[in-house]
Amino acid sequence: MIIAAAGGHNLLMIGPPGCGKSMLAQCFPGLLPPLYDEELLEVVKIHSSCGMPVKSLLNGQRPFRSPHHVISDVGLIGGGTNPRPGEISLAHHGVLFLDEFPEFRRTALEGMRAPLETGQVSIVRARGAFDYPAQFQLIAAMNPCPCGRLGVKDSRCNCSAASIQSYLKKLSQPILDRIDMHVELQAVPLESIGSSSRDSDEVEAAQTDQIISEIAIARDLQFHRQKALNATLDGKGILGSQSVDPKALNLLERSANRIGFSARTFVRLLRVGRTIADLDGESIIRTQHIAEAISLRSLERISNLVQAA
Ligand SMILES: [Zn+2]
């Protein structure tokens, strides 16, 4: 979550039901800096045009939208007879959380492809085209398989390889290509939750403040260096800046061949590696940064596992 917040990376969480995916997503906007003035104006404009409350926005809080997976294409992307912005525009400069990601209508998810690249959505109607801003950070969540127990300690998944395959296939490669990080989560044992005391609450609050300030420092560094978050960089920009350790690049190339990463994934790994290096205060992307970025691409591994089964 820290890496995603620091670099603006889209994130997919994969884990069994009840492992805290929704809770983590809801905490996520709190890790981000408050809305800047120009951002605030754009966001208030969209929300008030839909007759929605703007009080929390005026306090600097970034939008957090979490539509249910039964939402229509128009509801998610925008449009309609009297065109209006969809959830992706209401999440502009904030977070769009899509729980049960593979359950969303395929056409709705595919409609996000262009906005995820360009940060805006164009809706063409007989009486003209409407452009709405849609620069949002996507946080998605899914179970590892239809029953939710694949890879969960001390429990048994009873899904067939074919049903897991078709579940994973609901997510098209172009959509997955637009998500920088896939992270596997495990359920937390109950006994490790209950032991919260006043002291540990204070320690936790101090740790949270520390995390928020690390994220803010990493984001400032990026705006200072390239006037944009790492999530928007292209491969040439990163490789051309001579800021990748040759050993790290070598590791990336070897993994790409072994695991079969696409060219887009290669760039995503460089971006995430850049963010991890920024959080470390390093100007050079080193082997450990790339190794960590590769470890945050679970879906390729899960997909390979299922194919091998
Ligand atoms: Zn299962």
Side-chain angles (χ1 to χ4, degrees), residues 145-150 156-159 164:
C145 66
C147 86
R149 292 191 292 266
L150 180 72
R156 229 180 114 212
C157 160
N158 47 24
C159 306
I164 300 173

Side-chain angles (χ1 to χ4, degrees), residues 56-118:
S56 68
L57 304 173
L58 293 173
N59 290 332
Q61 223 172 320
R62 289 180 183 269
F64 177 82
R65 306 292 304 174
S66 55
H68 190 266
H69 62 76
V70 297
I71 192 168
S72 66
D73 298 8
V74 166
L76 187 67
I77 308 300
T81 330
N82 292 311
R84 50 176 281 145
E87 290 291 334
I88 60 170
S89 294
L90 291 168
H92 184 53
H93 291 316
V95 176
L96 180 69
F97 174 50
L98 301 184
D99 200 4
E100 313 277 359
F101 195 42
E103 306 297 337
F104 279 79
R105 296 157 64 99
R106 177 97 185 208
T107 43
L109 294 185
E110 295 300 310
M112 292 198 310
R113 273 163 67 168
L116 279 169
E117 292 282 314
T118 60

Side-chain angles (χ1 to χ4, degrees), residues 27-49:
C27 295
F28 188 78
L31 298 177
L32 302 172
L35 286 164
Y36 306 119
D37 290 348
E38 317 85 80
E39 293 178 334
L40 182 66
L41 281 177
E42 294 174 18
V43 172
V44 165
K45 215 167 120 188
I46 300 167
H47 283 247
S48 48
S49 79

Side-chain angles (χ1 to χ4, degrees), residues 2 30-33 205-218:
I2 296 171
L31 298 177
L32 302 172
Q207 278 172 342
T208 307
D209 287 346
Q210 169 77 20
I211 287 170
I212 290 172
S213 103
E214 278 170 23
I215 290 168
I217 291 169

